[in-house]
Amino acid sequence: MRLPKLPRPERYDLHLHVDPAKPRFFGELALDLEVEADTRALELHAVDLEIESSEVSDATGEVKVARVRQNPERETVSFVLDRPLAAGRASLRVRYAAALRTDLRGLYLARSGKRRYAATQLEAADARRFFPCFDEPDKKARFALRLTTPAKNKAVANGAIVRTERRKAKVTYHFAETPPLSTYLIALIAGELEASKPAHAGSTPVRVWCVPGKKKLAGFALECAVQSLRRLEAYFGLPYPYGKLDLIAVPDFEFGAMENAGAVTFRETLLLVDEKTVSLAEKKRVAEVIAHELAHMWYGDLVTMAWWDDLWLNESFATWMAFKVVDDWKPAWNMWLEFESQRAPAFALDAMENTHPIYVAVNKPSEATENFDVITYEKGASVVRMLESWLGPAVFRAGVRRYIRRHREANARAADLWGALEEAARKPVAPVVAPWLERPGFPLVSARRVDRGGRAFLVAGQERFFANPKVAETARAETRPIPLTVRVRRARGKDAVVRALADQATTEIELGPSDDVRWAYSNADEASFVRALHEAPLLRALGVDFARLRAAERMGLLGHQWAGVRASCARLGDWLDLVARLARESEPQVLGAAHGALAWLVDQVVPKLSDAQAARFRAWLAGIFAPAFAELGWKPAAGESEDRRQLRGTLLAILGGLAEDEAALAGAEARIGPYQKKPSGLDANLAGPVVELAARRGDAARFASYLRAMKRARTPQERSRFEFALGAFRDPVLVERALELALTDTIPTQDVVPLLGRLLANPAAREATWEFVRGRWKDLSPRISPGLASRLVSALPALQKPLYRQQVAAFFAAHPLPTAQRALLQALERFDLDAELRERALPELRAYLHALV
Ligand SMILES: [Zn+2]
């Protein structure tokens, strides 16, 4: 499927005629390229483009295009020439027309109220839906864009506007020519937009663009972008490469954000913020996403993966870098704890038999799209972090700088990065890191303590971890080099950290004199991407000293033990005992680390208990968390830390959502009306849970009030809270209403899949939602964009029952989703894993509850 090395594009001169109010747009492309001797046809990527005319010339003059051949299976067109081209420079001119798309890719229509916008989203392989091109990441070229559009429209592209021509009702913007770029990084956004005043990072002007009226929400993003750029320039030791930086909030946008060089696009919720009514979690997420996209300006845009099989080179690094940058800017935010929360889904997915290696062969565009998942992002970032921890930050940075300088404005492969790191570290790097990239899954480290001759040792065994307890021993038997960091709690003096490269089935690590070692924790700071289980005496010691572990380790321990429960190598009771230790927990993320598994129990096992036992479980949960919430109260004290505010929100979500605590639910209901009237009257960290909990018992009047609140919302976050809570109502009539809305403009295309996800998570709505998806597929499928299809499929195991598993398999066999093939296999595996665990957890939970009395 790949294009040959030659022809090679050098410069695209692209004049576009776009009126977002019209269904079609037009383009005139003049492309300079280098060809080899005797070229008889030029093959370019093009999908859904109508070629109106084409001409070719080479050094000897005009060459006629004999015919234009469509190659739909290759997603290309061939301009077949009536004589061969001479070697060297040639030029191709094409006039074409195309529909403004409605599926959030290529050049597509985005609406905001009555206003219409044209916006691009070209990654992975959708530049071919925008203009004829060599749509592969290593075919870099310069781009000179022009746009003619109705005069009321503003426009943003990769280069700054260097000239504006007005002619009658039209305006033509000339954008500065770009440095060499891959096609997937080209951007154009046109429509009635407004921009903030520029802020400056050194000499780089930074602006935020949005639909009219929202400019006042740009301040936080500007500050964040400036703070990030400074830190990134310092880290890479290279100035920002693209002259100006525009951040654009697009009213309908598939992904979170997109790192187009110099013109980064975002969902509104991830860019526009009112600092008075945004929750801390939302603000952290905005900062993280901005830093992630800006890290790409160097790592991805300036140096680009040679092919999609190395997508992780872009995404793993940018994901890791974002946390590093924001952590440096806002140390009080504990960003690495957020990282720990975000990588939990990567552990869950990578424990499945249908996972994939970080590095994965890609043969066609849909396979590239499938790789934008938690393995490429969060697991990849974890491996980068482990590597940095192993080499040391200074050495790691020196290697990264070499790599960036050596490949700037060009492309690279994994081996290029290992080479640069090896030069900096003066030791082999590839043998340690390659198994982590090339093999699926991750190790289970089983740790026990041995004392011998007055010395204490940690004996660390390793095998591959599988969530399915029935996976054969032979599949588990695997070793790889693990950079292991062990925290040793000493009887005298401070904790010690011991490092070792554990590359055998069993590795013995010396900890110190026996009488000085109280316990050891085998994944200090959760630096390595492993699950760690400690044998009973160690686990007991860790439990007793739980509060003495670092917050990341408390999260880690909860995660490891739950994974052990899933895989049938740890006891549910031991995990519940750890949960009981959270009564006095001060870090919201640590509570968050228990939340997912508790929610799973509440959803899948608690309904199988007797009413009396279910009530006892809820009382047990409330008994742990209600006192802490009562102590905090509903109103933040003056001068209270941001962390405590976030903690209050997390406690409310657990108490109301999982323990169904009457006081919490009633408190939420009492506050929803006043919050709708005056959002600033409720602490922002409580707003999400209050809106969600009030929906659970909400009636038609409340449903209608949420719709009004969505339309009136003054910030994107406020709008989303109400929009997604439409999926939390339990009255069947309101469930149907929410489903019908998913087919209307009330729910933008970008939000259809996330809303269906919320409905599937709602036990009162999930079966109706599946019936709706199956029954209305013809109407619904155009609103499920290729990049989000896998998210819908991944939400389906919430249906639980074997009957639904069969239906899901049969339905997607009949209606295949090319970008969700792997997600479907994973979803079916998840149905099976959950079914097995439900059976096993039920008696354990019963016994635990019985023993409580
Ligand atoms: Zn990215």
Side-chain angles (χ1 to χ4, degrees):
M1 296 291 274
R2 298 287 302 274
L3 294 174
K5 207 164 158 50
L6 286 176
R8 199 172 56 79
E10 286 176 351
R11 183 177 184 273
Y12 292 81
D13 183 310
L14 183 57
H15 187 173
L16 294 149
H17 302 261
V18 182
D19 178 351
K22 301 257 173 71
R24 288 162 67 76
F25 70 94
F26 303 90
E28 299 162 89
L29 171 67
L31 171 59
D32 297 333
L33 62 173
E34 190 198 331
V35 298
E36 60 186 344
D38 207 28
T39 300
R40 281 154 198 279
L42 294 173
E43 185 185 16
L44 275 76
H45 285 110
V47 175
D48 298 339
L49 305 180
E50 296 160 34
I51 308 295
E52 293 178 339
S53 68
S54 52
E55 296 164 23
V56 175
S57 58
D58 67 2
T60 62
E62 288 292 309
V63 186
K64 274 193 104 139
V65 175
R67 66 197 165 90
V68 178
R69 194 177 63 218
Q70 303 281 342
N71 316 305
E73 74 294 345
R74 289 172 62 80
E75 303 197 335
T76 60
V77 292
S78 294
F79 299 93
V80 182
L81 309 174
D82 71 350
R83 71 163 168 86
L85 293 175
R89 296 287 289 275
S91 159
L92 166 70
R93 293 172 172 278
V94 182
R95 292 170 60 91
Y96 68 97
L100 193 56
R101 304 181 69 91
T102 54
D103 59 357
L104 308 183
R105 57 180 176 158
L107 183 71
Y108 69 89
L109 172 68
R111 298 166 199 263
S112 174
K114 290 198 173 21
R115 293 198 175 92
R116 297 163 74 98
Y117 297 85
T120 49
Q121 169 57 41
L122 306 186
E123 193 178 20
D126 291 323
R128 63 194 64 180
R129 289 176 167 81
F130 181 25
F131 58 97
C133 57
F134 295 89
D135 197 10
E136 294 185 351
D138 63 344
K139 296 272 195 278
K140 287 193 173 186
R142 297 176 187 276
F143 288 81
L145 255 64
R146 263 172 296 159
L147 171 72
T148 300
T149 186
K152 66 176 180 182
N153 290 334
K154 297 276 191 295
V156 187
N158 306 89
I161 293 175
V162 288
R163 196 151 61 83
T164 305
E165 287 172 81
R166 276 296 284 265
R167 220 169 272 153
K168 292 187 188 151
K170 295 264 170 95
V171 60
T172 298
Y173 297 109
H174 297 249
F175 298 97
E177 184 171 307
T178 69
L181 289 176
S182 305
T183 43
Y184 79 90
L185 294 169
I186 299 307
L188 179 70
I189 301 89
E192 290 175 72
L193 292 163
E194 63 180 21
S196 68
K197 285 208 189 71
H200 283 87
S203 60
T204 307
V206 184
R207 256 179 303 253
V208 169
W209 294 80
C210 53
V211 302
K214 295 189 180 169
K215 199 164 69 175
K216 58 182 182 292
L217 304 176
F220 178 70
L222 279 176
E223 186 191 358
C224 186
V226 168
Q227 294 289 347
S228 298
L229 268 194
R230 278 192 201 138
R231 285 170 173 83
L232 290 163
E233 287 185 325
Y235 189 86
F236 292 112
L238 273 181
Y240 170 73
Y242 301 111
K244 60 85 180 172
L245 175 62
D246 289 311
L247 311 174
I248 309 110
V250 181
D252 204 356
F253 192 79
E254 181 174 41
F255 296 107
M258 176 64 211
E259 68 267 24
N260 315 297
V264 185
T265 41
F266 294 81
R267 273 187 182 224
E268 289 188 333
T269 43
L270 293 176
L271 191 67
L272 304 175
V273 157
D274 167 22
E275 294 214 53
K276 283 199 278 305
T277 58
V278 71
S279 74
L280 179 59
E282 288 162 339
K283 210 156 101 175
K284 286 176 178 173
R285 177 81 180 130
V286 168
E288 181 219 322
V289 171
I290 291 174
H292 174 113
E293 303 309 326
L294 298 189
H296 274 314
M297 296 297 120
W298 289 262
Y299 215 103
D301 294 10
L302 191 64
V303 179
T304 310
M305 76 239 139
W307 180 241
W308 297 109
D309 52 2
D310 272 321
L311 177 65
W312 69 273
L313 266 178
N314 277 14
E315 297 304 345
S316 307
F317 192 91
T319 301
W320 166 78
M321 191 81 211
F323 286 92
K324 198 172 171 74
V325 162
V326 180
D327 183 55
D328 188 62
W329 176 35
K330 298 273 190 189
W333 283 2
N334 286 328
M335 285 305 287
W336 289 108
L337 300 186
E338 301 293 336
F339 180 76
E340 196 54 38
S341 313
Q342 284 189 24
R343 70 182 195 158
F347 271 121
L349 187 64
D350 208 27
M352 294 169 76
E353 290 169 88
N354 287 295
T355 183
H356 64 91
I358 296 173
Y359 171 89
V360 62
V362 169
N363 298 307
K364 52 186 186 211
S366 61
E367 292 175 357
T369 302
E370 278 202 283
N371 287 336
F372 288 83
D373 69 357
V374 290
I375 299 294
T376 304
Y377 283 66
E378 279 77 18
K379 182 188 178 187
S382 302
V383 171
V384 171
R385 181 167 171 245
M386 184 166 74
L387 190 58
E388 189 211 28
S389 158
W390 179 58
L391 293 175
V395 169
F396 184 78
R397 186 181 67 176
V400 168
R401 285 180 169 190
R402 266 169 203 262
Y403 165 82
I404 294 282
R405 278 168 201 278
R406 196 169 290 162
H407 303 284
R408 61 201 283 190
E409 299 197 342
N411 298 80
R413 298 200 146 275
D416 299 318
L417 179 59
W418 309 149
L421 289 170
E422 283 174 358
E423 287 167 31
R426 300 205 182 95
K427 65 175 174 181
V429 170
V432 173
V433 72
W436 292 89
L437 294 178
E438 291 162 9
R439 293 193 216 154
F442 58 86
L444 167 66
V445 172
S446 47
R448 64 193 168 87
R449 174 181 175 155
V450 173
D451 288 90
R452 201 172 53 229
R455 313 287 298 171
F457 299 84
L458 188 83
V459 180
Q462 64 163 303
E463 60 175 36
R464 182 171 164 193
F465 180 80
F466 286 96
N468 181 355
K470 292 175 187 135
V471 168
E473 281 302 319
T474 46
R476 296 172 188 277
E478 192 222 85
T479 56
R480 60 176 76 180
I482 309 171
L484 213 56
T485 329
V486 180
R487 176 174 314 288
V488 182
R489 179 130 186 87
R490 297 167 58 202
R492 308 180 285 271
K494 282 195 283 191
D495 289 4
V497 168
V498 180
R499 290 167 185 274
L501 192 67
D503 55 0
Q504 307 292 317
T506 307
T507 306
E508 213 174 71
I509 302 164
E510 189 175 338
L511 303 174
S514 285
D515 63 350
D516 192 30
V517 173
R518 289 172 61 172
W519 49 255
Y521 179 73
S522 53
N523 197 18
D525 289 321
E526 301 306 307
S528 296
F529 193 76
V530 299
R531 284 300 188 198
L533 289 177
H534 298 79
E535 67 163 359
L538 266 181
L539 182 62
R540 264 197 307 278
L542 290 169
V544 170
D545 255 358
F546 188 67
R548 302 297 297 262
L549 287 167
R550 296 203 177 171
E553 294 161 357
R554 297 200 292 279
M555 296 175 76
L557 189 56
L558 284 160
H560 303 318
Q561 288 301 124
W562 176 254
V565 170
R566 222 182 219 294
S568 195
C569 48
R571 286 156 19 113
L572 179 62
D574 288 342
W575 185 79
L576 294 169
D577 282 344
L578 283 181
V579 172
R581 293 185 184 278
L582 296 175
R584 305 208 56 81
E585 180 57 54
S586 59
E587 296 295 342
Q589 293 87 356
V590 180
L591 296 189
H595 189 272
L598 284 171
W600 187 88
L601 284 173
V602 167
D603 195 33
Q604 305 221 11
V605 182
V606 172
K608 295 182 181 302
L609 296 172
S610 68
D611 288 352
Q613 280 205 314
R616 189 175 298 158
F617 178 81
R618 287 192 286 268
W620 170 78
L621 209 51
I624 298 167
F625 297 108
F629 186 71
E631 198 184 311
L632 284 173
W634 283 85
K635 265 209 159 44
E640 196 180 88
S641 74
E642 286 188 294
D643 240 22
R644 274 175 83 80
R645 289 171 185 239
Q646 196 177 357
L647 183 69
R648 179 182 288 107
T650 310
L651 284 167
L652 178 60
I654 294 175
L655 279 176
L658 304 182
E660 295 182 41
D661 179 64
E662 188 51 38
L665 286 165
E669 286 204 85
R671 280 161 181 87
I672 189 64
Y675 172 66
Q676 287 176 320
K677 285 200 191 72
K678 188 171 167 244
S680 61
L682 181 69
D683 182 68
N685 301 287
L686 291 175
V690 162
V691 171
E692 170 93 14
L693 295 176
R696 287 190 175 210
R697 299 199 284 197
D699 58 8
R702 187 166 293 157
F703 191 92
S705 81
Y706 276 28
L707 280 173
R708 285 196 302 276
M710 261 172 76
K711 290 190 180 124
R712 273 202 319 255
R714 290 167 314 168
T715 72
Q717 293 77 22
E718 208 178 299
R719 185 185 190 286
S720 307
R721 274 174 214 145
F722 286 108
E723 182 183 5
F724 292 124
L726 294 176
F729 285 81
R730 301 210 157 167
D731 176 339
V733 175
L734 302 177
V735 168
E736 285 304 324
R737 206 166 287 168
L739 288 168
E740 289 298 331
L741 284 171
L743 298 175
T744 70
D745 286 342
T746 303
I747 307 298
T749 312
Q750 66 173 16
D751 294 338
V752 172
V753 168
L755 177 62
L756 293 174
R758 294 290 274 266
L759 283 154
L760 284 161
N762 174 350
R766 57 178 60 130
E767 297 184 2
T769 303
W770 173 237
E771 286 313 318
F772 176 84
V773 168
R774 288 206 301 164
R776 305 289 292 276
W777 187 245
K778 210 163 127 305
D779 303 321
L780 184 62
S781 58
R783 306 206 81 206
I784 296 172
S785 66
L788 292 176
S790 60
R791 289 234 233 139
L792 173 64
V793 171
S794 308
L796 293 169
L799 291 160
Q800 298 181 26
K801 296 177 188 154
L803 168 73
Y804 289 117
R805 185 199 186 281
Q806 285 166 23
Q807 288 183 1
V808 166
F811 183 79
F812 289 107
H815 305 87
L817 290 169
T819 54
Q821 293 301 309
R822 197 192 288 134
L824 179 60
L825 294 174
Q826 289 161 350
L828 299 177
E829 187 178 345
R830 172 67 56 206
F831 268 105
D832 298 338
L833 289 172
D834 284 351
E836 191 275 335
L837 181 56
R838 276 196 303 274
E839 290 303 310
R840 198 153 38 80
L842 182 61
E844 282 198 64
L845 184 58
R846 277 198 188 119
Y848 190 82
L849 292 169
H850 187 76
L852 284 177
V853 264

